[in-house]
């Protein structure tokens, strides 16, 4: 056992440091989605905006396909040699991916090599962010005290959303104060990727100075051949399937109302790019602030009631909300409808990290949290934009609303059948 317990000051420093590193990782990831409306023409010379967006969304989806590999690779590293080292490596890889996007010439300059380099950069980012989720969820959950796990682990989604907010904030500043739309489309879209590469250096420094978790230190003597292995993970089939089931509906809803929503507001609601960015920014800021509130609530009443609330309301309200949003002409109406959806989704986002961490023992926790989550997100979250745009292209956009509803209903069945992990947490055995 570890004879040097972590002090409160060290614990808070670790949670802040881990969260800020997470924020930088997700900023890099979301900068692609936020600026796709400006750089799609640089890599895919097609006069149809929807076709260009489908191509960039396709590469966005391919990036997600690398996430299971990242979940396996970095999850294994975290379980074998430490959470801290795995998080440091993941942010280094993300930095390289952002720099590659920033420096890649356009299609007019190097032809087919341009989208190929964009794809390579996105694959590297997908590998990095695939590892980031499981490792940081594990780290924050293990660093938190027993009575505040929901609250502290909710900061993973605060910083995940925060990364998106910074991307949108930079976009707003460039749109409103610095560059014209023509400049943004010509070269200004490169700026956020340069910023991302620079921020990653700061995150790298913070993570290099983190304290390792007691849960990992206490299992240092566990059989090295078993730690972080697929074989050991498969001994927990129920926990694995639970991660898949509880993630499925939540990740699809999350990516619909955050990453895809900006394009939906431009493409379907017919608001301007500037209006869409502003609505996305304000709604996401409030959404981020809600995460610790819901996380703290789960420490008092349990995780399961929040998951059930998301499952029931998500199943009943998704089609009405998106239908109303698609026909509105008011910025304010669009904002309130999106906000209603994000409040519902908070029942999942605020606590999903700690719920997954509470399912697995420490010797395979990072792998158990990261791999099944990454596979589910790759299939359902990563393809959300592409499927939505495809339904729109064939003139049946409303089918996408029912697709989301069906996935949330599937997750609801899982929530109904699972125990409350607050009361059965494996973290209590560390």
């Amino acid at each position: 056992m570890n004879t040097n317990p972590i002090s409160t000051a060290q614990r808070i420093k670790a949670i802040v440091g881990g969260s800020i590193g997470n924020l930088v990782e997700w900023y890099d990831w979301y900068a692609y989605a936020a600026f796709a409306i400006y750089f799609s023409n640089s890599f895919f010379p097609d006069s149809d905006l929807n076709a260009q967006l489908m191509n960039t969304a396709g590469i966005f989806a391919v990036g997600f396909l690398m996430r299971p590999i990242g979940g396996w690779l970095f999850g294994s590293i975290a379980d074998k040699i430490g959470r801290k080292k795995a998080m440091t490596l993941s942010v280094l890889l993300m930095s390289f991916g952002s720099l590659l996007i920033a420096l890649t010439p356009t299609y007019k300059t190097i032809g087919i090599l341009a989208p190929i380099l964009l794809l390579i950069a996105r694959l590297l980012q997908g590998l990095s962010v695939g590892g980031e989720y499981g490792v940081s969820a594990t780290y924050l959950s293990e660093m938190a005290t027993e009575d505040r796990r929901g609250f502290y682990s909710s900061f993973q989604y605060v910083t995940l959303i925060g990364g998106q907010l910074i991307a949108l904030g930079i976009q707003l500043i460039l749109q409103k104060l610095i560059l014209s739309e023509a400049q943004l489309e010509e070269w200004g879209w490169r700026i956020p990727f340069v910023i991302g590469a620079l921020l990653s250096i700061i995150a790298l420094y913070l993570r290099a100075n983190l304290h390792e978790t007691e849960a990992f230190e206490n299992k240092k003597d566990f059989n090295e051949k078993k730690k972080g292995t697929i074989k050991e993970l498969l001994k927990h089939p129920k926990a694995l399937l639970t991660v898949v089931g509880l993630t499925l509906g939540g990740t699809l809803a999350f990516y619909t109302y955050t990453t895809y929503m900006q394009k939906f507001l431009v493409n379907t609601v017919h608001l301007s790019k500037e209006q869409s960015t502003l609505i996305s920014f304000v709604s996401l800021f409030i959404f981020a602030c809600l995460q610790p509130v819901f996380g703290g609530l789960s420490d008092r009443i349990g995780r399961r009631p929040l998951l059930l609330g998301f499952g029931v309301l998500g199943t009943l309200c998704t089609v009405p909300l998106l239908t109303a949003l698609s026909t509105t002409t008011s910025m304010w109406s669009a904002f309130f409808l999106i906000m209603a959806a994000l409040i519902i989704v908070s029942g999942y986002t605020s606590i999903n990290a700690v719920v997954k961490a509470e399912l697995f023992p420490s010797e395979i926790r990072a792998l158990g949290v990261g791999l099944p989550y990454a596979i589910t997100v790759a299939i359902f979250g990563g393809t959300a934009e592409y499927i939505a745009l495809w339904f729109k292209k064939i003139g049946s956009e409303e089918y996408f609303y029912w697709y989301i509803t069906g996935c949330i209903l599937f997750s609801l069945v899982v929530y109904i059948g699972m125990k409350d992990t607050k009361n059965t947490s494996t973290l209590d055995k560390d």
Side-chain angles (χ1 to χ4, degrees), residues 27-28 166 170 190-200:
Y27 162 79
D28 285 336
I166 294 174
I170 288 171
R190 297 182 186 275
I191 294 171
F193 297 104
V194 173
I195 292 171
L198 294 173
L199 286 174
S200 294

Side-chain angles (χ1 to χ4, degrees), residues 171-209:
Q171 188 175 51
L172 279 170
I173 291 168
L174 292 175
Q175 285 174 342
K176 302 280 187 185
L177 304 175
I178 300 176
L179 302 176
S180 66
E181 184 152 336
Q183 288 173 319
L184 271 168
E185 289 182 355
E186 188 177 347
W187 57 269
W189 59 265
R190 297 182 186 275
I191 294 171
F193 297 104
V194 173
I195 292 171
L198 294 173
L199 286 174
S200 294
I201 296 171
I202 299 169
L204 196 62
Y205 170 78
L206 287 169
R207 289 194 159 176
N209 290 282

Side-chain angles (χ1 to χ4, degrees), residues 335-369:
F335 167 73
F336 284 118
L337 287 166
I338 292 169
M339 207 60 248
L342 290 174
I343 290 170
I344 293 170
V345 176
S346 292
Y348 162 80
T349 54
S350 60
I351 59 167
N352 80 95
V354 70
V355 169
K356 291 160 191 168
E358 288 175 328
L359 289 169
F360 297 95
S362 64
E363 62 270 15
I364 46 109
R365 184 171 291 136
L367 182 63
V369 173

